[in-house]
Amino acid sequence: MTPDYAAILATIHAEVQPLLSEGKVASYIPQLSTVAVDQFGMALYCLDGSTYEVGAAQQKFSLQSITKLFALALAFSREGDAIWARVGREPSGNPFNSLVQLEYERGKPRNPFINAGALVMTDILSTRFVQSDVAVLQFARSIAAEAGIDFDLTVAQSERETAHRNYAIAHLMKDFGNLHNPVSTVIDSYCRQCSISMTCAELAKAGSFLAQHGTVPWSGLQILDRSSAKRLNALMLTCGTYDAAGDFAYRVGLPAKSGVGGGILALVPGELAVAVWSPGLDATGNSLAGTYALERFTTLTARSIF
Ligand code: GLU
């Protein structure tokens, strides 16, 4: 039986209100710290085309690390298993921007969702496309069917000015031979890619091809074959929510990708994509109210992959 999604979203919206002041907006990218913390939006895109939303679901926010999922999907769709020669598929157990492991693992990042791995994806796309960030933007526009999706160049500039750690990661990988393009090209493209903004409604629609086993539900366009989509879902489950992927799987039970802008995209394979946004983060960098909202969503709908 289909759950009463409208009623469930309304319940969740009421339940998260006390949490909205508890998280902290990301401040290491200065422009992100200007966002008011007490905001919340949530949207569903069901594979039958029905949509539901609550709160600030039409408010644009900075996708940040969620764009790593789109970059990975694009690179995987073009390069296939060749990407695994340059990036692993294991959780790192370290902060997303850590350099420590990269040194003793000789420049091969643990997975495509930590910054080092995402920079390798940007490098792969930079070799294939004139501008990798524009390729990711066009990909995002096409899977969301929204031509208005764009970079937030103020956020991109703010990140580039403070990207010391990402420069360090990129230089280290360059030294190990795992970055083929100039460091400045890769960092510039990566910062613009991370600045792509979407609403929850757009993000749920954009992610729905991963819920429909690699095929865009409304157009029938196959982005990934079924097996590849399964693999990306598996990576989201094990590596998609920073160091908290184990706890997130325990609490929510869905493959998901989060970003420091406060967004989370989660998938119920075969049924729907759900996007949630609340900019206050918990200590692990995931949206505090967003994680709680997804936990309540899977509890109230009895939907999970387990
Ligand atoms: N652009 C951010 C960075 O590289 C993305 C971080 C995130 O959302 O996890 O630090």
Side-chain angles (χ1 to χ4, degrees), residues 21-38:
S21 53
E22 281 188 20
K24 294 214 174 356
V25 291
S27 56
Y28 75 99
I29 299 174
Q31 190 61 24
L32 294 183
S33 68
T34 64
V35 177
V37 71
D38 57 344

Side-chain angles (χ1 to χ4, degrees), residues 173-190:
M173 292 196 297
K174 185 89 183 160
D175 187 62
F176 279 113
N178 200 13
L179 211 68
H180 301 168
N181 293 278
V183 166
S184 58
T185 305
V186 173
I187 297 287
D188 280 2
S189 294
Y190 172 79

Side-chain angles (χ1 to χ4, degrees), residues 237 248-255 267 298 303-306:
L237 185 74
F248 191 93
Y250 179 86
R251 288 175 58 191
V252 177
L254 296 177
L267 309 167
T298 51
R303 291 318 194 248
S304 113
I305 61 165
F306 299 110

